[in-house]
Amino acid sequence: MKRRTPTPDELRLWAEVAKSVAPLGDRVPVVAEAAPIAAPAPAPSRGPPTPQPARAAPARATAAPTTIDRRTVSRLSRGALAIDARLDLHGMT
């Protein structure tokens, strides 16, 4: 999961909070400089939307025929039924 960067408002708020607390023991407090807030950039004007070419549907993988009934397959795909075991095919493919 990628972490997001804090906004300038959040950095300024954190700097205020950090000033209001007392440091623990002999630790040196770390003070980050808040970046000056620039005026927000104007939103780009949007013209009429350009038509996008239609995407082809992705090909679905077909599985080998199974001996599992339709209800069991449905319950497995919804997560309502846990898988009982695993089959190790290491070196057999």
Side-chain angles (χ1 to χ4, degrees):
M1 176 184 249
K2 188 175 181 181
R3 296 182 126 186
R4 71 175 184 87
T5 57
T7 64
D9 289 335
E10 292 170 335
L11 290 173
R12 188 173 345 117
L13 178 63
W14 180 251
E16 291 296 318
V17 170
K19 286 181 199 174
S20 68
V21 296
L24 294 175
D26 57 347
R27 293 184 185 178
V28 177
V30 177
V31 179
E33 295 296 322
I37 295 180
S45 62
R46 293 186 175 184
T50 58
Q52 299 293 326
R55 293 184 181 175
R60 296 193 67 164
T62 57
T66 61
T67 57
I68 303 174
D69 61 299
R70 180 181 293 167
R71 181 171 183 241
T72 304
V73 170
S74 175
R75 291 176 68 202
L76 281 170
S77 65
R78 287 192 326 258
L81 181 65
I83 297 175
D84 292 337
R86 294 183 184 188
L87 179 61
D88 183 16
L89 295 177
H90 185 74
M92 303 296 276
T93 57

